[in-house]
Amino acid sequence: GAGVSQTPSNKVTEKGKYVELRCDPISGHTALYWYRQSLGQGPEFLIYFQGTGAADDSGLPNDRFFAVRPEGSVSTLKIQRTERGDSAVYLCASSLAPGGAEAFFGQGTRLTVV
Amino acid sequence: GQSLEQPSEVTAVEGAIVQINCTYQTSGFYGLSWYQQHDGGAPTFLSYNALDGLEETGRFSSFLSRSDSYGYLLLQELQMKDSASYFCAVRGWGKAAGNKLTFGGGTRVLVKP
């Protein structure tokens, strides 16, 4: 595809359940970012991958959140024991290299924990 | 760490000019970017300033002054489709900043007929 693809676009889950959110970045982009955005707020940084490794995971709120990018392309954000406060839009972005001027965002996954 | 401050909301009429200011605190960064986000949509890149001065891209211009820790986005000849949220962002460098892209809280621009 031409852009960053995120699936699912919407996810409703019960409190306490496990969820996985997928991001397929633009081909050839080595940098991949996960953000969380609440209504009326700016995107909040969660984790950044350079290739396969997590270069910076300082934004992950706690150990219920984990992300992988095993082959340096597709990434999965995993949330265990979901809480109502995890409800937000989860955005993925990719860029050609660290420090690149432009990051390309996917449409996001709207996660609702009930 | 890094923090960016923007006004929360601006209202203007079609054809007007709007300036969205962004003040920041950061230990070091590659440049200042601006993104536009319509309700329910993805943030899309608008402009980037690596150096001090003005960058012009059609109706949108962006300015950076590193000495003043300040930048702005200028929207000219406002159109109804410009109603959206606008975010400034910096990508830091070095061990402390970790190359992450940090966003301001966003400015909601409402364009009225």
Side-chain angles (χ1 to χ4, degrees):
Chain A
V4 177
S5 175
Q6 291 187 247
T7 54
S9 55
N10 279 284
K11 176 71 177 178
V12 180
T13 190
E14 292 182 346
K15 180 175 175 295
K17 298 290 188 183
Y18 168 83
V19 296
E20 288 189 352
L21 311 179
R22 176 188 168 106
C23 172
D24 204 335
I26 293 172
S27 177
H29 281 196
T30 59
L32 185 146
Y33 301 81
W34 282 100
Y35 289 85
R36 178 168 70 175
Q37 188 175 29
S38 299
L39 193 64
Q41 306 289 320
E44 173 195 3
F45 171 79
L46 295 177
I47 187 169
Y48 153 59
F49 286 91
Q50 178 53 36
T52 60
D56 186 344
D57 64 357
S58 63
L60 295 177
N62 52 58
D63 61 6
R64 295 187 298 105
F65 288 75
F66 189 70
V68 296
R69 194 186 186 198
E71 297 178 355
S73 179
V74 171
S75 176
T76 305
L77 178 66
K78 309 180 181 193
I79 310 174
Q80 299 177 318
R81 305 183 303 279
T82 51
E83 299 177 356
R84 293 197 178 87
D86 299 335
S87 297
V89 175
Y90 288 80
L91 294 166
C92 175
S94 69
S95 65
L96 268 175
E102 182 174 1
F104 296 82
F105 281 82
Q107 291 293 319
T109 294
R110 181 175 297 279
L111 176 66
T112 304
V113 182
V114 298
Chain B
Q2 297 163 306
S3 66
L4 299 96
E5 296 290 330
Q6 306 177 231
S8 59
E9 192 171 297
V10 172
T11 301
V13 297
E14 269 188 301
I17 298 174
V18 160
Q19 179 173 317
I20 302 170
N21 297 323
C22 174
T23 56
Y24 58 84
Q25 289 185 319
T26 178
S27 55
F29 65 104
Y30 289 105
L32 184 70
S33 301
W34 289 91
Y35 287 79
Q36 179 192 59
Q37 186 179 32
H38 287 98
D39 286 349
T44 56
F45 174 81
L46 286 179
S47 187
Y48 176 72
N49 293 73
L51 304 174
D52 283 7
L54 191 68
E55 291 285 340
E56 296 180 86
T57 310
R59 295 186 297 113
F60 295 169
S61 302
S62 59
F63 173 82
L64 174 64
S65 169
R66 287 177 182 263
S67 60
D68 295 322
S69 297
Y70 164 75
Y72 66 72
L73 178 70
L74 195 69
L75 287 64
Q76 302 180 74
E77 300 171 22
L78 274 179
Q79 301 176 8
M80 296 298 291
K81 67 179 181 180
D82 297 331
S83 291
S85 292
Y86 294 83
F87 298 92
C88 57
V90 294
R91 179 176 284 109
W93 68 49
K95 189 176 180 181
N99 272 322
K100 63 183 177 230
L101 189 62
T102 302
F103 285 80
T107 299
R108 189 169 183 85
V109 173
L110 178 61
V111 182
K112 294 186 173 181

